[in-house]
Amino acid sequence: YDNRYMLDMMEKHRGDFSGVAIVDENSPDVCATMNSLAKRGVRGFRIYTSKAQAEAWGDGMKKMWACAADNGLAMCLLADPGSLPIVHKMCAQFPRTRVVIDHFARIGMKGPVDPTDLDNLCRLAEFPATHVKTSAFYALGRKQAPYTDMAPLVRKLRDTYGAQLLMWASDCPFQVQNGHTYAGSISLIRDRLDFLSTGDKEWMLRKTAEKVFFS
């Protein structure tokens, strides 16, 4: 829960960075902590979200979601596919809470895309404050550049959510290991998917992230 390095860099490079912090959901003053971090430029909170972790969510997590809704902050979920039905229930309870699902909820990381998992991810589009990162191509599908096998998944989410709720992400530092590059990752969205309009690309590569993390 030590966010000092990130906060120091945000202070040093004021205006260049926004922050996603980690806080103790079970702390009695978790909302005060979130608001204090928000004053220093934090706009989201990373939540590790396996099925087991989501099943264990209690009053502290509910306080976080309520606080986020009241203050325009995001719950940034590094989710596994099995957690998505529980995430859906939380979104239904806190529909105003801004949510960001990282890396397609890691669907297809361990094998072919399970249609049920994809349906569960698409169901979250019922909540207009829910966003999805279309990223981590190095870990999904064939796990090989140029990553064009990911095109059907990107298209499905674009058609379901709209590009205004999707965002590319660098996934630093993993996207630049084992021969993978940022150039290869960003090129999939920018250059290789002919079903994405110029407007779609603007949202996915810049405007969605600006809206969520810099507004």
Side-chain angles (χ1 to χ4, degrees):
Y1 309 121
D2 186 348
N3 298 290
R4 287 178 296 174
Y5 176 75
M6 178 187 69
L7 294 169
D8 286 349
M9 291 302 100
M10 291 165 61
E11 178 67 24
K12 183 176 181 179
H13 303 279
R14 187 180 293 272
D16 292 335
F17 297 111
S18 182
V20 175
I22 299 177
V23 297
D24 182 0
E25 68 189 80
N26 296 311
S27 170
D29 58 352
V30 64
C31 190
T33 299
M34 292 170 66
N35 290 333
S36 176
L37 288 166
K39 291 177 181 178
R40 301 183 66 180
V42 168
R43 291 294 176 266
F45 296 88
R46 165 56 63 90
I47 309 294
Y48 296 99
T49 317
S50 68
K51 180 180 179 182
Q53 288 167 318
E55 288 174 339
W57 285 348
D59 289 342
M61 186 61 68
K62 292 178 180 179
K63 288 180 182 178
M64 286 189 66
W65 284 58
C67 183
D70 291 340
N71 296 282
L73 304 172
M75 296 289 96
C76 301
L77 308 184
L78 183 61
D80 288 341
S83 70
L84 294 175
I86 303 168
V87 173
H88 187 279
K89 291 179 181 178
M90 188 70 89
C91 288
Q93 187 172 355
F94 300 97
R96 294 188 301 114
T97 301
R98 185 174 281 177
V99 175
V100 178
I101 305 293
D102 283 358
H103 316 319
F104 299 95
R106 302 196 280 192
I107 290 174
M109 187 170 70
K110 298 181 179 179
V113 171
D114 185 320
T116 299
D117 292 338
L118 182 55
D119 287 345
N120 286 335
L121 180 58
C122 289
R123 283 183 66 215
L124 293 177
E126 297 171 13
F127 309 104
T130 297
H131 306 71
V132 180
K133 288 183 183 177
T134 52
S135 50
F137 306 127
Y138 69 91
L140 304 173
R142 295 174 186 162
K143 304 175 176 62
Q144 293 179 347
Y147 313 116
T148 49
D149 61 298
M150 296 295 295
L153 188 55
V154 174
R155 187 166 196 162
K156 177 69 173 178
L157 293 186
R158 193 281 311 271
D159 292 347
T160 302
Y161 282 84
Q164 296 91 336
L165 296 175
L166 305 179
M167 69 180 89
W168 178 85
S170 65
D171 197 20
C172 177
F174 304 106
Q175 184 60 55
V176 290
Q177 296 179 356
N178 301 317
H180 297 277
T181 66
Y182 290 143
S185 177
I186 203 168
S187 180
L188 177 65
I189 303 300
R190 187 187 61 201
D191 307 317
R192 300 183 184 278
L193 303 181
D194 59 8
F195 57 84
L196 294 179
S197 68
T198 299
D200 290 341
K201 296 174 187 179
E202 288 177 352
W203 279 103
M204 295 174 71
L205 294 176
R206 176 174 61 86
K207 292 170 69 174
T208 304
E210 285 182 343
K211 175 188 69 175
V212 173
F213 295 117
F214 289 90
S215 63

